[in-house]
């Protein structure tokens, strides 16, 4: 069965004239925000700053944190002002904290990733290339050790454990 994530909503309006449909077919849609041209690159930022939904767990709403059951309700104005207060404090606290921490942490993480890239390019990969090209004897010896001792051991353990069955039941 297909999940609802793959379904696409199609709006069909049969009341319009056919001439409008032909005009719409020949028009090109506007480009997405990340591909639109602008003189200032900082003004034409894409709408989403989390395109891969890395921080999906941080999308918190007032009703996710506070909720009143049907049996107990506060006054409507109290609920509305609480919601406004919660959202305002959440947004402005995040803005203030990010204003204080964003620049130093971005500089620190930029330095960290630059350091890792430098180590990988200038230290790790040359050592790997030396091992691959200049030391084939050690490489073949290591492969022999792995194939003689480690692979049979792992195969034996996997065969011993392959007959273990776990059944879960609710009682």
């Amino acid at each position: 069965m297909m999940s609802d994530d793959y379904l696409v909503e199609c709006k069909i309006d049969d009341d319009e004239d056919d001439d409008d449909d032909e005009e719409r077919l020949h028009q090109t849609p506007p480009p997405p925000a990340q591909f639109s041209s602008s003189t200032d690159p900082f003004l034409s930022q894409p709408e989403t700053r989390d395109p891969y939904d890395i921080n999906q767990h941080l999308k918190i709403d007032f009703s996710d944190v506070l909720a009143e059951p049907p049996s107990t309700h506060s006054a409507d104005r109290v609920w509305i002002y609480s919601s406004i207060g919660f959202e305002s404090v959440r947004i402005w606290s995040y803005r203030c904290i990010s204003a204080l921490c964003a620049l130093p942490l971005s500089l620190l993480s930029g330095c960290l990733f630059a350091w890792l890239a430098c180590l990988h390019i200038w230290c790790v990969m040359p050592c790997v290339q030396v091992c691959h090209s200049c030391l084939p004897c050690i490489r073949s010896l290591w492969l022999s050790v792995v194939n003689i001792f480690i692979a049979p051991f792992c195969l034996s353990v996997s065969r011993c454990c392959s007959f273990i069955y776990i059944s879960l039941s609710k009682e």
Side-chain angles (χ1 to χ4, degrees), residues 96-116:
C96 293
I97 292 169
S98 64
L100 293 173
C101 298
L103 187 60
L105 287 177
S106 65
L107 293 175
L108 183 65
S109 58
C111 289
L112 174 68
F113 286 117
W115 179 252
L116 289 174

Side-chain angles (χ1 to χ4, degrees), residues 111-165:
C111 289
L112 174 68
F113 286 117
W115 179 252
L116 289 174
C118 182
L119 280 177
H120 185 76
I121 291 169
W122 294 103
C123 297
V124 174
M125 286 311 293
C127 291
V128 168
Q129 291 300 326
V130 164
C131 288
H132 280 298
S133 60
C134 296
L135 303 171
C137 300
I138 294 177
R139 184 172 179 247
S140 63
L141 180 67
W142 176 250
L143 287 174
S144 298
V145 167
V146 167
N147 288 331
I148 292 171
F149 296 109
I150 298 174
F153 174 74
C154 291
L155 183 64
S156 299
V157 170
S158 68
R159 286 189 179 170
C160 290
C161 295
S162 66
F163 293 107
I164 297 174
Y165 293 105

Side-chain angles (χ1 to χ4, degrees), residues 9-163:
E9 181 179 339
C10 296
K11 295 182 181 179
I12 300 174
D13 192 10
D14 294 334
D15 296 338
E16 294 184 12
D17 296 328
D18 292 335
D19 296 334
D20 293 337
D21 292 337
E22 288 180 16
E23 287 178 16
R24 245 184 282 137
L25 287 175
H26 296 294
Q27 292 176 354
T28 58
Q34 64 263 26
F35 298 117
S36 63
S37 60
S38 175
T39 55
D40 189 4
F42 295 109
L43 294 178
S44 63
Q45 291 181 352
E47 288 182 14
T48 178
R49 293 186 182 182
D50 189 9
Y52 301 112
D53 285 334
I54 295 171
N55 295 315
Q56 183 71 23
H57 60 284
L58 293 177
K59 294 180 181 177
I60 297 173
D61 206 9
F62 178 69
S63 60
D64 296 333
V65 177
L66 298 172
E68 289 181 332
S71 61
T72 58
H73 278 288
S74 60
D76 288 340
R77 291 289 175 201
V78 171
W79 186 255
I80 291 170
Y81 292 142
S82 298
S83 173
I84 291 170
F86 174 83
E87 292 297 329
S88 300
V89 168
R90 182 179 64 90
I91 290 170
W92 283 103
S93 297
Y94 173 76
R95 288 178 180 167
C96 293
I97 292 169
S98 64
L100 293 173
C101 298
L103 187 60
L105 287 177
S106 65
L107 293 175
L108 183 65
S109 58
C111 289
L112 174 68
F113 286 117
W115 179 252
L116 289 174
C118 182
L119 280 177
H120 185 76
I121 291 169
W122 294 103
C123 297
V124 174
M125 286 311 293
C127 291
V128 168
Q129 291 300 326
V130 164
C131 288
H132 280 298
S133 60
C134 296
L135 303 171
C137 300
I138 294 177
R139 184 172 179 247
S140 63
L141 180 67
W142 176 250
L143 287 174
S144 298
V145 167
V146 167
N147 288 331
I148 292 171
F149 296 109
I150 298 174
F153 174 74
C154 291
L155 183 64
S156 299
V157 170
S158 68
R159 286 189 179 170
C160 290
C161 295
S162 66
F163 293 107

